[in-house]
């Protein structure tokens, strides 16, 4: 089930009292990525070489970006050579290509819903976001994706 807030589709709030994230999905699990770290959403992509051949990259505007497979990191079967959606994420000076099943909408929640807890135990998530009756969504830490 995709997380949904009343403000989905609305312009980004400039207030510091709200936290905005982009929802991404791997299998049935939804994750959050801080909108400040999201650079670009891309459609279906074909990697420069299959994952089985070593370090996978995606060339975007003549730059070879490291591909991070969110399905593989989540314990699911990895993408082989293509993925249905891609999110380019900024991690310090590096831009990473996050391979996902789907990129959802930008969501906005009160900042106090961001918790320094990782209840599902994903090593690439340092926080989670409380969604009320819909549970929690893990918040991906782009810096933790670098080593993935």
């Amino acid at each position: 089930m995709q997380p949904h807030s009343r403000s989905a589709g609305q312009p980004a709030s400039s207030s510091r009292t709200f936290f905005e994230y982009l929802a991404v999905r791997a299998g049935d699990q939804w994750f959050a990525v801080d909108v400040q770290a999201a650079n670009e959403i891309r459609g279906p992509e074909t990697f420069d070489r299959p994952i089985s051949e070593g370090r996978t990259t995606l060339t975007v505007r003549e730059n070879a970006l490291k591909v991070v497979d969110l399905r593989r990191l989540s314990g699911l079967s990895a993408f082989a050579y293509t993925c249905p959606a891609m999110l380019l994420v900024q991690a310090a000076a590096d831009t990473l290509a996050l391979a996902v099943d789907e990129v959802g909408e930008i969501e906005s929640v009160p900042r106090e819903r961001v918790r320094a807890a990782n209840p599902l135990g994903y090593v690439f998530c340092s926080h989670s976001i409380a969604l009320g009756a819909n549970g929690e969504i893990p918040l991906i830490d782009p810096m933790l994706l670098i080593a993935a």
Side-chain angles (χ1 to χ4, degrees):
M1 171 193 235
Q2 179 178 351
H4 184 73
S5 69
R6 283 183 224 140
S7 63
Q10 299 295 320
S13 168
S14 61
S15 171
R16 295 179 192 254
T17 61
F18 285 90
F19 179 78
E20 294 179 326
Y21 66 92
L22 188 60
V24 295
R25 182 177 60 81
D28 292 332
Q29 178 64 53
W30 285 94
F31 294 89
V33 176
D34 186 340
V35 295
Q36 298 296 320
N39 286 346
E40 181 178 344
I41 299 169
R42 298 177 64 89
E45 290 289 349
T46 300
F47 310 140
D48 294 340
R49 63 179 166 260
I51 288 178
S52 61
E53 292 182 14
R55 180 175 174 225
T56 304
T57 58
L58 174 72
T59 301
V60 177
R61 290 181 285 285
E62 299 182 19
N63 294 311
L65 306 178
K66 176 184 176 184
V67 173
V68 178
D69 185 335
L70 191 56
R71 288 184 57 84
R72 183 186 59 78
L73 291 178
S74 301
L76 303 171
S77 59
F79 293 111
Y81 196 58
T82 63
C83 67
M86 183 75 65
L87 177 65
L88 303 187
V89 178
Q90 195 66 41
D94 296 326
T95 300
L96 305 172
L98 186 61
V100 298
D101 285 308
E102 181 180 354
V103 177
E105 297 183 22
I106 294 175
E107 306 284 346
S108 180
V109 296
R111 192 162 288 281
E112 63 266 11
R113 289 194 183 177
V114 178
R115 299 183 177 164
N118 184 4
L120 299 177
Y122 292 110
V123 297
F124 52 92
C125 298
S126 58
H127 290 72
S128 65
I129 300 170
L131 298 176
N134 292 332
E136 293 193 43
I137 184 172
L139 177 60
I140 294 173
D141 183 334
M143 293 302 294
L144 297 175
L145 290 176
I146 293 174

